[in-house]
Amino acid sequence: MVGLQIDQTDKFRQKQQKAVEPVSKPKPVEVDRTTEKLSLSQEIRETLKTVEKEQQVVEESAFASIGSDGDNSKIKDPVTQIAHKKQMQNKTLVQHWMKVKEVLESGPINSVKELHDRILQYTEDSYLKGGVCLGIESLLVQEEEKGAFFSRILPSIISRSGQMLKEFSHGLIPKIKMGKKDKLVYTRTQVAAVLANMFLCSFPGAECSFGSLFMSRQAHQVAKLKFFVHYFDRLSSLPLDQPLGCIEVVQNVNTSQNCLLDRSQMPLLPARVHLEGHVHEQFDKLQTVAATPELFGALLSRGLGESEIRCLAAPEMAICLLVAKHMDDKSIIIVRGAEQFSQVEGEDFSLRWAGDLQDHSPKEKDGRVSLQSSHI
């Protein structure tokens, strides 16, 4: 009986092999590097489509069994539970950005108090719950500056902030994976939308909010606001599909235990040290900035280090506050394409905005500046 079973199995295998043998010599499997999927035969493609449709039916059936309260206790399949949880999170985030847009665009804003009152309708930033926005008031001491801010700059910021759902799927921003080599590319219009919402204190959980700067009248904190307001002032003359180009955020990680500097016996290469000037003033050189484990983490509070100053001069770097804010001693963050908009005067508590700066660094084909800054 055992021998008969083996014979039947062999016949079945032979029959199966004949069924899948191609008429002609198969071509080598090609790899599509864009989608990272193997090119499949039409038959297998149709099978995959059928399976995907069946899976979609299962998920839709599971979702249909859930009440409007979002209870997923009736779903038994773990994969479906995860899909449902993600769907509900995306829905919540979309509703949040729709509310922010509706509140900010409900009418013109003509005073600091009106701006404060609008922000309080959606923000979770505890800094803004009481008191007055002394930072903004200190910034807009001149009537000319106040008029330009409320008539041109703030409406532009609000328009940029309203692009979140257009610039990002569900308003969800891709972030660098901690501890792994990773690279993300954002259009500069995406970066502008993110910075606008940071300025308007609208991210869920008060993440990367300008609230503490809004409420401080210390000169160096007011100066920080000025750097960002000037950035938005420059953007106010551009349509929403500009500026052109992209910002790259790259994380390199040293995974080898044999290459750590504190253990290396190799001599250092010859170096030339400039005793004057700052990193942000070296347009034609490799810029390397010593940073804290939370990259630019103190920018929106009391931070006044070299990395914070570098970010103030080129505000687009502030995207890292959201997407690459944690580093360890094996990581390095490289930011490419961030244009410098302002001149910087002083440092630490004497920090001041020193005027507009036209960045004449060489340009890439997409319009961004050919400049990178490394943060370690």
Side-chain angles (χ1 to χ4, degrees), residues 12 37 77 114 204 215 272 282 348 358:
F12 175 77
K37 294 182 180 178
D77 179 27
E114 289 179 9
M215 306 303 286
R272 183 173 59 182
Q282 313 305 317
D348 296 330
Q358 298 294 323

Side-chain angles (χ1 to χ4, degrees), residues 169-199:
S169 176
H170 301 100
L172 187 64
I173 305 170
K175 298 183 179 182
I176 289 287
K177 297 179 178 64
M178 287 185 59
K180 296 181 179 180
K181 186 175 181 179
D182 202 2
K183 173 183 175 180
L184 291 173
V185 180
Y186 306 91
T187 66
R188 294 179 70 192
T189 55
Q190 287 180 321
V191 173
V194 170
L195 298 190
N197 280 288
M198 287 168 55
F199 185 86

Side-chain angles (χ1 to χ4, degrees), residues 208-232:
C208 299
S209 172
F210 274 56
S212 62
L213 298 184
F214 277 17
M215 306 303 286
S216 175
R217 65 191 311 171
Q218 292 179 301
H220 59 280
Q221 298 292 72
V222 175
K224 291 182 181 180
L225 283 176
K226 178 61 180 179
F227 283 101
F228 282 94
V229 169
H230 178 69
Y231 161 75
F232 289 119

Side-chain angles (χ1 to χ4, degrees), residues 34-246:
T34 304
T35 60
E36 297 183 353
K37 294 182 180 178
L38 298 177
S39 58
L40 306 173
S41 66
Q42 185 63 31
E43 181 180 357
I44 298 178
R45 287 181 183 276
E46 293 298 329
T47 303
L48 288 175
K49 287 182 180 179
T50 302
V51 172
E52 289 174 356
K53 288 182 180 179
E54 291 176 352
Q55 180 66 21
Q56 184 177 1
V57 170
V58 171
E59 291 183 1
E60 289 177 350
S61 176
F63 294 154
S65 66
I66 302 173
S68 59
D69 57 353
D71 181 18
N72 65 350
S73 60
K74 298 180 181 180
I75 302 179
K76 304 301 181 183
D77 179 27
V79 175
T80 307
Q81 286 183 337
I82 294 173
H84 173 255
K85 182 179 180 180
K86 183 176 180 181
Q87 184 189 58
M88 297 302 294
Q89 289 174 340
N90 290 343
K91 181 179 179 181
T92 301
L93 190 58
V94 169
Q95 290 174 339
H96 170 79
W97 291 124
M98 290 177 65
K99 177 182 178 181
V100 171
K101 181 179 175 66
E102 181 182 1
V103 169
L104 290 172
E105 296 181 356
S106 60
I109 299 175
N110 298 309
S111 68
V112 174
K113 185 179 184 307
E114 289 179 9
L115 174 61
H116 191 185
D117 290 342
R118 293 283 179 89
I119 292 176
L120 287 175
Q121 294 183 46
Y122 58 74
T123 190
E124 299 175 42
D125 192 334
S126 59
Y127 278 105
L128 295 165
K129 298 299 183 180
V132 181
C133 294
L134 299 176
I136 290 289
E137 289 189 347
S138 299
L139 178 66
L140 304 176
V141 290
Q142 302 294 331
E143 288 299 323
E144 183 179 350
E145 293 178 346
K146 185 180 296 185
F149 180 79
F150 289 110
S151 66
R152 185 183 73 253
I153 302 173
L154 182 59
S156 176
I157 297 173
I158 292 173
S159 296
R160 297 276 179 182
S161 72
Q163 301 297 302
M164 281 297 291
L165 292 177
K166 180 180 178 180
E167 296 286 358
F168 300 97
S169 176
H170 301 100
L172 187 64
I173 305 170
K175 298 183 179 182
I176 289 287
K177 297 179 178 64
M178 287 185 59
K180 296 181 179 180
K181 186 175 181 179
D182 202 2
K183 173 183 175 180
L184 291 173
V185 180
Y186 306 91
T187 66
R188 294 179 70 192
T189 55
Q190 287 180 321
V191 173
V194 170
L195 298 190
N197 280 288
M198 287 168 55
F199 185 86
L200 294 169
C201 313
S202 57
F203 274 97
E207 187 176 17
C208 299
S209 172
F210 274 56
S212 62
L213 298 184
F214 277 17
M215 306 303 286
S216 175
R217 65 191 311 171
Q218 292 179 301
H220 59 280
Q221 298 292 72
V222 175
K224 291 182 181 180
L225 283 176
K226 178 61 180 179
F227 283 101
F228 282 94
V229 169
H230 178 69
Y231 161 75
F232 289 119
D233 190 6
R234 288 269 296 271
L235 262 58
S236 67
S237 62
L238 301 176
L240 292 178
D241 60 354
Q242 292 184 23
L244 302 176
C246 297

Side-chain angles (χ1 to χ4, degrees), residues 90 131 326 351:
N90 290 343
H326 296 292
L351 175 70

Side-chain angles (χ1 to χ4, degrees), residues 360-376:
H360 296 296
S361 301
K363 298 292 193 296
E364 301 283 355
K365 292 181 179 179
D366 63 1
R368 64 177 172 176
V369 295
S370 181
L371 190 66
Q372 74 176 29
S373 178
S374 303
H375 302 264
I376 58 176

